[in-house]
Amino acid sequence: MNEKGKKSMFHIRTLRQRMSLILSVCMILCFLLVVSVSYISLQAAEKNRIETTMQADLLQLTGQIDSDYYTLVQLSQQMSLEGSVGRLVNNYVTQSGGYERIEISGRITSDINTMLFSHENISLVGYFSDGTAVDKPEKMLFFSLPVKENSNPMKLGTIVQTNTISLNSIHRSLNYSSSKDVVSLTRRVRFSDDKDYLIYGEIFTGAKKNIQSLSQIRKVSYDLLQVDNNGRICFSSSDAFKAGDSINVDKNAKNGTVQAIGEFTYLSAVSKFGFNNVLLVPETSYHQQMNSWQLSVFFVFIAAVILVSITGFLLVHLIYRPLQILGRDMLEVGKGNIVPGKHSFQIDEFDNLFNRFDDMKQEVVQLLENVRQQEKEKQQLEIDKLYYQINPHFLMNVLHSVHCMATINKQPVIERFIYKLNYILGYSLGKTNAKATFRTELKYLKLYLELQKERYDFEVWLNIEEGDYLDAPCARFIMQPLAECRMP
């Protein structure tokens, strides 16, 4: 059972398969760890990013609207009794003569134009008066442009009310030739004729346009509400909330924390004039932004898979390929091909391994050469053994004895013949003149020819020039074949 268990457990035998399995398991574990750890942090970071973006956008809108109100307050200051235009108007209403009024009217118109010259966004300024009741103004004085019929500034949505100044929420312009959105101001003033007047001024506002632009940039549906201190909606760009409705703005929303109301998420900012600007985002759009990080994580996962795949390929290339080449070289060695190969992987460990493997091949080649040399020497020993088996020493002793007997019996022909034969036999076996030179070869050749002349009838002429070259080493029996080719 244990052996079977081991086989089933380690049935993946190749290095490539095991590396792929390890990389796959590591990738899955890392992904699960990244998802589990980053889910909360990414969600919190995304929520913080969305809230920070909403807060920045809302502060931008609030700052722009406050700037418009500040401009209107400054203009109304110049049109009140304390301002240059207001003093001229005061003179105008106290004059009874027609000529003086015409002259002062021209100066008032000129001063108003001069005042508006540096404020190109001003849509309309002027004075309303009905003599005693300001709730239903009937008389309009010194307006910079024509006013729409039945225009009544008292019916506009007042968002901030003080003793003399009323700030009106975003509405359509009272300018006869314009239908753009404006914010406006009315200011009560009493001139020397003891009558109440309303200073009216309005300025073009890009709040709604900016809302649309920010919605496109942020890819969310923004809406803007202007809410007074009593929670009454004075302006709304959303169809879900109407002007005049009440809304309870949470204090946390005023502090920059996103809150929920119905199907909307909202954030509130307090204007410097005391009212609230509320930025609305539909819940679906808000949560879509909140969950957008999941798509980013998916792309990160895809990138991680690609990265791991590239890493796996590089590991296979860097590790598996050299081992594969090593295995192939070992198979070649097993087949008898021990030629050292030149491999360079630019990796010190593998380069050293292959260098050592090549050194081992060289050693194997040297060992095989030594074995061949030993076999050759062994064969030579066997040949020498055969040579010695004929006991040439005994044969030479016998010839020497015959030579002595010929000398004793005074047989010079046999004596010389035996001497020559004994020398030739000793030279052939290496017993005489162990180092062969040209001189020993010539001596051997002369004696060999003299023995042949005892058998055959022929003449030989040898012309040899004496010199040091005769003592130079050479191979044995190199001259005998030349002589045998010329013998009869």
Side-chain angles (χ1 to χ4, degrees), residues 22 29 58 98 105 223 253 328 372:
I22 292 173
L29 292 177
L58 181 58
S105 176
D223 282 303
R328 187 171 62 244
R372 284 193 290 269

Side-chain angles (χ1 to χ4, degrees), residues 2-214:
N2 292 334
E3 292 296 328
K4 290 182 179 180
K6 290 182 179 179
K7 289 182 179 180
S8 62
M9 186 176 180
F10 297 102
H11 65 279
I12 299 178
R13 305 290 297 181
T14 65
L15 179 61
R16 176 184 293 180
Q17 291 175 342
R18 292 193 178 185
M19 289 177 62
S20 301
L21 178 62
I22 292 173
L23 288 174
S24 300
V25 172
C26 291
M27 181 182 66
I28 293 173
L29 292 177
C30 290
F31 174 72
L32 293 177
L33 181 62
V34 168
V35 170
S36 60
V37 171
S38 64
Y39 178 80
I40 298 176
S41 58
L42 285 176
Q43 192 173 30
E46 189 66 18
K47 182 179 180 181
N48 182 65
R49 183 190 69 82
I50 295 173
E51 291 182 0
T52 302
T53 302
M54 289 179 62
Q55 189 173 11
D57 293 340
L58 181 58
L59 290 177
Q60 177 184 346
L61 293 170
T62 301
Q64 178 188 356
I65 295 173
D66 284 352
S67 176
D68 293 338
Y69 283 128
Y70 271 120
T71 301
L72 292 175
V73 170
Q74 292 174 357
L75 292 178
S76 69
Q77 187 71 23
Q78 296 184 47
M79 295 174 68
S80 64
L81 280 172
E82 291 80 9
S84 59
V85 177
R87 287 193 294 269
L88 287 174
V89 174
N90 186 56
N91 291 334
Y92 175 85
V93 297
T94 57
Q95 292 293 329
S96 57
Y99 177 78
E100 288 80 3
R101 282 199 166 196
I102 293 174
E103 191 267 336
I104 295 173
S105 176
R107 291 174 58 190
I108 292 172
T109 302
S110 176
D111 283 3
I112 289 177
N113 291 334
T114 302
M115 179 181 65
L116 299 182
F117 181 77
S118 59
H119 301 284
E120 58 182 11
N121 288 330
I122 295 296
S123 174
L124 188 67
V125 293
Y127 294 88
F128 283 99
S129 173
D130 65 345
T132 57
V134 296
D135 292 338
K136 297 180 180 179
E138 297 175 355
K139 193 174 183 180
M140 294 178 288
L141 300 174
F142 307 111
F143 271 88
S144 58
L145 290 171
V147 181
K148 294 177 181 179
E149 293 183 1
N150 301 320
S151 296
N152 187 351
M154 303 307 298
K155 293 182 179 181
L156 299 176
T158 302
I159 194 169
V160 175
Q161 178 72 55
T162 65
N163 292 331
T164 59
I165 297 177
S166 297
L167 300 181
N168 302 314
S169 61
I170 299 173
H171 61 86
R172 291 295 178 89
S173 173
L174 300 185
N175 188 336
Y176 180 81
S177 59
S178 175
S179 60
K180 294 183 179 180
D181 290 328
V182 296
V183 292
S184 63
L185 171 147
T186 57
R187 182 168 186 164
R188 290 174 182 270
V189 62
R190 174 168 288 195
F191 291 119
S192 299
D193 60 353
D194 292 330
K195 294 181 180 179
D196 289 331
Y197 293 84
L198 281 180
I199 300 172
Y200 178 79
E202 65 179 32
I203 184 171
F204 293 123
T205 179
K208 291 180 69 173
K209 185 178 179 180
N210 289 340
I211 284 290
Q212 295 174 355
S213 299
L214 290 173

Side-chain angles (χ1 to χ4, degrees), residues 165-445:
I165 297 177
S166 297
L167 300 181
N168 302 314
S169 61
I170 299 173
H171 61 86
R172 291 295 178 89
S173 173
L174 300 185
N175 188 336
Y176 180 81
S177 59
S178 175
S179 60
K180 294 183 179 180
D181 290 328
V182 296
V183 292
S184 63
L185 171 147
T186 57
R187 182 168 186 164
R188 290 174 182 270
V189 62
R190 174 168 288 195
F191 291 119
S192 299
D193 60 353
D194 292 330
K195 294 181 180 179
D196 289 331
Y197 293 84
L198 281 180
I199 300 172
Y200 178 79
E202 65 179 32
I203 184 171
F204 293 123
T205 179
K208 291 180 69 173
K209 185 178 179 180
N210 289 340
I211 284 290
Q212 295 174 355
S213 299
L214 290 173
S215 296
Q216 293 178 354
I217 294 173
R218 308 303 185 196
K219 297 180 180 180
V220 294
S221 299
Y222 277 156
D223 282 303
L224 179 66
L225 302 181
Q226 285 187 305
V227 183
D228 63 16
N229 287 331
N230 297 322
R232 183 177 62 89
I233 299 175
C234 298
F235 167 78
S236 172
S237 64
S238 172
D239 295 334
F241 297 89
K242 303 296 182 182
D245 294 345
S246 296
I247 183 174
N248 184 18
V249 179
D250 195 301
K251 293 182 179 180
N252 291 327
K254 296 180 181 179
N255 296 328
T257 302
V258 173
Q259 300 293 320
I261 178 171
E263 297 179 354
F264 290 86
T265 298
Y266 73 95
L267 191 67
S268 176
V270 180
S271 168
K272 293 181 179 180
F273 293 94
F275 63 91
N276 296 316
N277 287 318
V278 178
L279 190 64
L280 292 174
V281 178
E283 282 283 346
T284 54
S285 181
Y286 179 78
H287 288 297
Q288 184 179 1
Q289 287 290 315
M290 283 288 295
N291 297 328
S292 62
W293 67 272
Q294 297 178 358
L295 184 62
S296 301
V297 170
F298 174 74
F299 285 118
V300 170
F301 173 71
I302 296 299
V305 171
I306 295 174
L307 181 62
V308 170
S309 300
I310 295 174
T311 304
F313 173 78
L314 293 177
L315 287 176
V316 170
H317 181 75
L318 293 175
I319 299 176
Y320 181 76
R321 181 172 171 270
L323 294 178
Q324 188 179 29
I325 294 175
L326 179 61
R328 187 171 62 244
D329 287 354
M330 294 178 69
L331 290 176
E332 291 295 326
V333 170
K335 295 177 181 178
N337 184 11
I338 320 179
V339 178
K342 295 182 179 180
H343 302 288
S344 178
F345 301 97
Q346 304 299 323
I347 302 175
D348 292 342
E349 290 79 5
F350 283 113
D351 288 343
N352 293 334
L353 177 63
F354 275 87
N355 289 336
R356 293 178 182 177
F357 187 63
D358 289 340
D359 293 340
M360 184 187 71
K361 288 182 181 179
Q362 294 285 0
E363 293 177 359
V364 171
V365 170
Q366 186 63 40
L367 288 175
L368 292 176
E369 183 65 26
N370 292 338
V371 170
R372 284 193 290 269
Q373 186 66 27
Q374 290 176 359
E375 290 292 332
K376 185 176 180 180
E377 292 176 356
K378 183 178 179 180
Q379 292 176 359
Q380 185 64 36
L381 289 174
E382 291 179 353
I383 294 173
D384 292 343
K385 183 178 179 181
L386 292 175
Y387 280 148
Y388 282 109
Q389 284 180 353
I390 64 175
N391 201 350
H393 185 69
F394 171 77
L395 181 60
M396 293 177 68
N397 288 338
V398 171
L399 291 175
H400 185 68
S401 299
V402 174
H403 177 265
C404 293
M405 291 175 64
T407 302
I408 293 172
N409 293 324
K410 298 181 180 181
Q411 294 179 351
V413 177
I414 298 174
E415 177 186 354
R416 289 194 299 274
F417 189 90
I418 295 299
Y419 169 77
K420 296 174 184 177
L421 179 60
N422 192 20
Y423 179 84
I424 290 174
L425 180 60
Y427 186 80
S428 299
L429 297 176
K431 302 296 183 180
T432 304
N433 298 118
K435 183 179 179 182
T437 61
F438 287 103
R439 190 181 300 279
T440 59
E441 281 292 299
L442 289 173
K443 182 178 179 181
Y444 169 82
L445 180 62

